[in-house]
Amino acid sequence: MPFIDLKAQYAALKSSVDARIQRVLDHGQYIMGPEVRELEDKLAAHVGVRHCITVSSGTEALLIALMALGLKPGDEVITTPFTFAATAEVIVLLGGVPVFVDILPDTCNIDPHLVEAAITPRTRAIMPVSLYGQVCDMDEINAIAARHGNIPVIEDAAQSFGASYKGRKSCGLSTFGATSFFPSKPLGCYGDGGALFTDDDVLAQAAREIRVHGQSQRYTHTRVGVGGRMDTLQCAVVLAKLERFDWEIARRIEIGARYQALLADLPVQRLAQRPDRDCVWAQFTLQLDQRAAVQAALAAAGIPTAIHYPKPLHQQPAYAAWGCGQSFAHAERAAMRVMSLPMSPDLSVDQQDEVLTALSTALAALNTAPAAE
């Protein structure tokens, strides 16, 4: 069983994907071809913002957002330690200081009540992560930012593109929204890709210039930039995938809800879902004890699993200096207990039942095993 079934997705979209790619091969504009602008227009309309700027990866989206905001060495950015390294990586690359605050134990998203206490005169941005496909508490975070001089907020929405929050879309809820089109994401390409979203005309223009080495026009470099363009071919792939994206999001929500219902009687901790938002389940993640033993049993039954993420950033060697010996109890506990199950829009009922049967059997065996002497 595949952990994420990209082959089934391609089979369903083969004619559209192939035609889109062939069109690029025919016109030969592999860098900043017409598909780039077409995709940006469609994604901006989907999110409900004025500007979408496609970039070369989700990491680059975060980096360019911070550069557009003028992050300088020593500036602080408040974020979560329970995320992929890219969230903190971009802060450190620019000489900034990641300031970690703990997560909520039931959703694994950043705790907004801890954000305010972490603000100092050096705080330049707040970067919450919408983990596993559920938007974090953006209204509370935006209100905190507004009370403290309108601190910019960047939603790291690498896992939540397509999700809704109080009737609005992820990526359209703050100063910047940043997402990834890595192949395993809810909307993925066939390589690396990403996008930035904003309603701010000035920030949008800055981001567009930064992604092409800071050029305001050809060979006129008005600011320091990066090589951050999204390839035309990758934009073509995403355009083809948009044809059934709404269906895929509905399927993710449906499959996630079925997982949640079937897990209700098992000795696992399900992620909480807030009633005012949905979850697009970039990963279907639960928490449980004896994770290694359960993973081994599932692997023996042919069921793949993954851990998102096994070690919080303040415990990673590259970022330990910014943890300053602090303990983030909820992030640390989650890192020891999270486990992700197979999840994709094409996951069948039979496959899902197979996963749940194997999980139930593994948990029952552990609960009945004799205690070690």
Side-chain angles (χ1 to χ4, degrees), residues 137-153:
D137 298 319
M138 292 301 292
D139 280 358
E140 291 86 343
I141 293 167
N142 286 334
I144 291 166
R147 286 198 297 270
H148 292 267
N150 292 317
I151 298 169
V153 176

Side-chain angles (χ1 to χ4, degrees), residues 247-256 343 345-348:
W247 176 85
E248 289 193 3
I249 291 301
R251 283 286 295 152
R252 285 180 173 276
I253 293 170
E254 178 185 349
I255 293 166
M343 180 65 180
D346 295 288
L347 188 73
S348 69

Side-chain angles (χ1 to χ4, degrees), residues 161-172:
F161 191 77
S164 296
Y165 170 87
K166 300 183 180 181
R168 296 171 289 159
K169 290 290 188 182
S170 178
C171 286

Side-chain angles (χ1 to χ4, degrees), residues 211-340:
R211 75 168 169 184
V212 288
H213 302 283
Q215 295 176 96
S216 56
Q217 56 186 2
R218 190 164 175 80
Y219 298 131
T220 300
H221 302 269
T222 54
R223 62 182 82 234
V224 174
V226 297
R229 299 162 299 205
M230 186 169 170
D231 295 339
T232 307
L233 279 167
Q234 298 298 349
C235 289
V237 170
V238 178
L239 281 165
K241 287 193 176 189
L242 275 177
E243 293 178 12
R244 75 166 200 166
F245 186 54
D246 288 342
W247 176 85
E248 289 193 3
I249 291 301
R251 283 286 295 152
R252 285 180 173 276
I253 293 170
E254 178 185 349
I255 293 166
R258 189 167 187 267
Y259 260 139
Q260 292 282 68
L262 293 172
L263 288 169
D265 296 327
L266 295 182
V268 300
Q269 179 183 341
R270 297 172 295 167
L271 287 177
Q273 186 175 328
R274 301 289 186 250
D276 56 2
R277 68 205 75 172
D278 58 28
C279 182
V280 297
W281 298 110
Q283 294 88 26
F284 186 88
T285 303
L286 50 83
Q287 296 189 52
L288 74 172
D289 298 321
Q290 297 179 285
R291 179 177 63 192
V294 173
Q295 281 193 294
L298 291 178
I303 307 298
T305 59
I307 302 174
H308 303 96
Y309 297 96
K311 186 181 290 186
L313 295 187
H314 68 287
Q315 294 180 341
Q316 296 282 359
Y319 302 100
W322 291 277
C324 300
Q326 299 176 72
S327 175
F328 302 97
H330 295 315
E332 291 161 16
R333 186 167 190 268
M336 293 188 293
R337 301 179 74 242
V338 291
M339 185 181 77
S340 300

